[in-house]
Amino acid sequence: MKKIYLLFIALTSTFAVNAQLSFGHIQNQVPRDQRAINVFDVRKDTTAYKGISVDLGGAFALQFQAINSFNDQRNLTGANADYRLNNLTNDFNLPNANMTIGAQLADGVRVNLDLYLASRHHHETWVQGGYLQIDKLDFIKKGLLEDVMKYTTIKIGQMENNYGDAHFRRSNNAYTITNPFVGNNIMDAFTTEMGAEVYYNRSSFISMIGVTNSKLNQNVQEVIPGPTTAVTPDQNTTISPTILAKLGWDKQIDSDLRIRLTGSLYHTANSSGNLYSSDRAGSRFYSVMTHAGTIGYPSSNILDSESNKDTGRFNPGFGNWATSYMINPFVKYKGLEFFGTLEFASGGDYKGTDDTRNVNQYVGDILYRFGNHENLYVGAKYNLVDGKLKNSDAEAVQVNRFEAAAGWFMTKNILAKLSYVQQNYKNYQQFGNVGGVAMPNDFYGGKFEGLMFEATISF
């Protein structure tokens, strides 16, 4: 092993000398430590181009979970008794790990590759996405459109779509240093699709327009989304582009006060993916609201954390067409900050067979950061989702969550946080129809609550 390590160092050093590589001179990159907090979208900086440069980073996260689940199915008897919720132990979750590899390829041109080394849903290493970022066109002709490119950034690749501001404040597998809490939003908008985004940010005004191919997994086969899978062309097989847009205003009023307000759009007329179930890393609350059976309602709520990665989340279950709007206000006055999310999502169960239904989400969190370089914080977050799971449902269901957290930046790269969480499910029916059979509903009178401790390192 030692010989392999020494050989790797020798080869790397030789390559660096021959190619005149440098390390760490990456332009227009958001830091992956405490400095990334409250940095949204892309940014321009004054880093000088010093030839091809390589960037290597990583993130690690570990949680201790002490959460219990409850519902009102305690009196089930006979075969239905198997649907009583599992008892969850107080123990550590599977540690998470990310890796980022980047390179400055030319003045104003860089590439980024993001990997999950270990996640809840995939224990093996796999690629989240990669993209090319262009901030100058000098590689085509020196000074080409430099007055425009001074404010413009172009991103192209399989990448995290920039819908809303909430995804800049969420945990992305092991990269959790920008999330002051342990959980993400209940209705968690996150996806990676093949596409391009163009930003034009000038003075305090923010704008972005983007388009993707609406596919989480890339392939050339047209597949019918919905209850059956086939390759026979019909009205549901053609995948339509997804349109992304963002418009906003962000200004540091004075040394103490910053105000930001953005509105975002995500629209697809025919997609093979799902904006609210495409985070393949999985949710942070492991195995909550699950039973040991292999069939559940409204989904297979089995205990295995890899097979059911989204425990604790709400998926509106739109078929293959949807439109979502997100409004995000952000105010920071000295150490006090507020971040909000108003999200209005609409779509249908399956294209051509059902009417539009709406699901709304409301989120607000308040933090107070204090100490040396704001290395300590306390805060609280409230999240409410309201909407119908199907158009045929008699009434909308509700899921709400309260989370209180405290955090300590031991260094700008190391964060420890402790969180109390309580999540409640309302208006879920005691039994649901699954394949014509009445099945007990895990979420009937459902609730989970407890403590989470998370330690994260990012560089």
Side-chain angles (χ1 to χ4, degrees):
M1 185 66 184
K2 183 177 180 181
K3 292 181 179 179
I4 296 175
Y5 178 70
L6 293 174
L7 178 61
F8 173 78
I9 294 176
L11 290 174
T12 304
S13 301
T14 301
F15 179 75
V17 170
N18 291 338
Q20 295 184 334
L21 285 176
S22 60
F23 293 88
H25 296 286
I26 306 296
Q27 297 174 323
N28 307 317
Q29 179 172 259
V30 177
R32 291 183 293 268
D33 54 35
Q34 186 183 2
R35 294 170 295 171
I37 292 175
N38 299 331
V39 176
F40 304 94
D41 304 316
V42 297
R43 70 171 194 172
K44 301 276 192 176
D45 60 33
T46 57
T47 302
Y49 176 63
K50 297 185 178 181
I52 295 179
S53 184
V54 175
D55 173 60
L56 180 64
F60 308 95
L62 175 66
Q63 309 86 38
F64 183 88
Q65 178 171 309
I67 289 179
N68 289 316
S69 298
F70 313 90
N71 66 16
D72 289 340
Q73 303 285 30
R74 293 183 295 272
N75 297 324
L76 291 174
T77 60
N80 288 335
D82 292 336
Y83 286 85
R84 289 174 296 192
L85 295 180
N86 290 291
N87 293 321
L88 303 180
T89 62
N90 301 337
D91 212 334
F92 290 96
N93 291 327
L94 174 74
N96 318 116
N98 291 13
M99 176 182 286
T100 298
I101 303 172
Q104 190 75 43
L105 304 178
D107 191 8
V109 181
R110 69 179 181 87
V111 67
N112 203 79
L113 179 67
D114 299 313
L115 300 94
Y116 291 162
L117 300 181
S119 67
R120 172 179 178 178
H121 190 46
H122 285 269
H123 301 164
E124 72 279 6
T125 297
W126 55 290
V127 176
Q128 173 198 311
Y131 62 88
L132 188 71
Q133 179 171 316
I134 302 173
D135 289 282
K136 294 181 181 180
L137 298 176
D138 289 6
F139 67 96
I140 300 176
K141 181 181 178 181
K142 183 69 174 178
L144 179 63
L145 297 177
E146 61 181 355
D147 291 338
V148 175
M149 295 305 296
K150 186 185 302 182
Y151 309 104
T152 303
T153 296
I154 303 168
K155 293 176 67 175
I156 305 171
Q158 172 89 10
M159 58 190 175
E160 177 182 343
N161 295 167
N162 186 9
Y163 162 66
D165 283 353
H167 71 108
F168 294 104
R169 207 175 174 88
R170 71 185 293 282
S171 298
N172 183 10
N173 196 43
Y175 183 69
T176 75
I177 208 159
T178 58
N179 186 355
F181 301 92
V182 173
N184 294 331
N185 287 348
I186 296 173
M187 196 165 73
D188 191 14
F190 176 90
T191 187
T192 56
E193 298 172 352
M194 186 68 71
E197 297 173 348
V198 179
Y199 298 78
Y200 188 82
N201 300 336
R202 186 167 184 173
S203 298
S204 299
F205 292 96
I206 302 155
S207 64
M208 185 277 296
I209 187 73
V211 61
T212 78
N213 70 344
S214 302
K215 288 186 177 183
L216 178 67
N217 295 315
Q218 304 306 317
N219 60 71
V220 297
Q221 179 174 286
E222 292 183 329
V223 178
I224 300 174
T228 61
T229 299
V231 294
T232 304
D234 75 354
Q235 64 176 347
N236 283 338
T237 58
T238 302
I239 302 300
S240 303
T242 292
I243 304 301
L244 301 164
K246 179 180 286 188
L247 189 65
W249 181 78
D250 188 341
K251 188 174 181 62
Q252 189 74 43
I253 305 298
D254 55 36
S255 59
D256 293 331
L257 178 63
R258 177 186 174 188
I259 299 176
R260 176 182 171 95
L261 178 66
T262 63
S264 301
L265 164 71
Y266 176 97
H267 171 73
T268 179
N270 205 350
S271 170
S272 67
N274 186 325
L275 177 64
Y276 301 104
S277 65
S278 293
D279 174 21
R280 290 167 289 177
S283 81
R284 192 57 87 216
F285 304 116
Y286 284 54
S287 303
V288 295
M289 306 305 299
T290 60
H291 61 264
T294 57
I295 299 177
Y297 178 82
S299 61
S300 295
N301 294 338
I302 61 176
L303 183 59
D304 177 62
S305 63
E306 182 176 347
S307 300
N308 189 9
K309 64 182 177 62
D310 291 325
T311 50
R313 289 178 175 165
F314 179 96
N315 179 5
F318 298 136
N320 61 327
W321 57 289
T323 299
S324 294
Y325 301 94
M326 184 181 290
I327 300 171
N328 296 112
F330 171 72
V331 179
K332 182 174 174 61
Y333 179 73
K334 295 184 177 180
L336 184 66
E337 63 184 55
F338 167 81
F339 182 83
T341 296
L342 303 174
E343 187 168 18
F344 309 99
S346 61
D349 293 343
Y350 300 105
K351 186 175 182 180
T353 64
D354 219 339
D355 295 328
T356 299
R357 56 188 171 87
N358 302 305
V359 177
N360 300 325
Q361 176 168 237
Y362 311 94
V363 191
D365 73 63
I366 298 177
L367 290 178
Y368 182 66
R369 301 184 188 273
F370 58 99
N372 186 25
H373 303 294
E374 296 189 345
N375 66 321
L376 300 169
Y377 68 82
V378 292
K381 176 179 178 180
Y382 183 76
N383 190 171
L384 171 67
V385 174
D386 180 276
K388 288 186 177 182
L389 290 168
K390 300 188 301 293
N391 275 323
S392 59
D393 288 349
E395 62 179 336
V397 299
Q398 285 190 357
V399 185
N400 67 72
R401 179 194 297 163
F402 172 77
E403 186 173 355
W408 173 32
F409 280 93
M410 302 165 64
T411 75
K412 68 179 182 180
N413 301 94
I414 305 173
L415 170 63
K417 43 188 166 178
L418 179 66
S419 176
Y420 166 78
V421 61
Q422 181 185 104
Q423 182 160 312
N424 301 282
Y425 298 80
K426 296 184 178 180
N427 300 332
Y428 282 84
Q429 299 301 307
Q430 184 174 12
F431 293 91
N433 189 310
V434 180
V437 179
M439 294 291 184
N441 188 338
D442 289 337
F443 302 140
Y444 172 67
K447 170 184 175 180
F448 68 83
E449 67 175 331
L451 296 174
M452 293 283 291
F453 171 79
E454 181 172 71
T456 183
I457 300 171
S458 181
F459 59 91

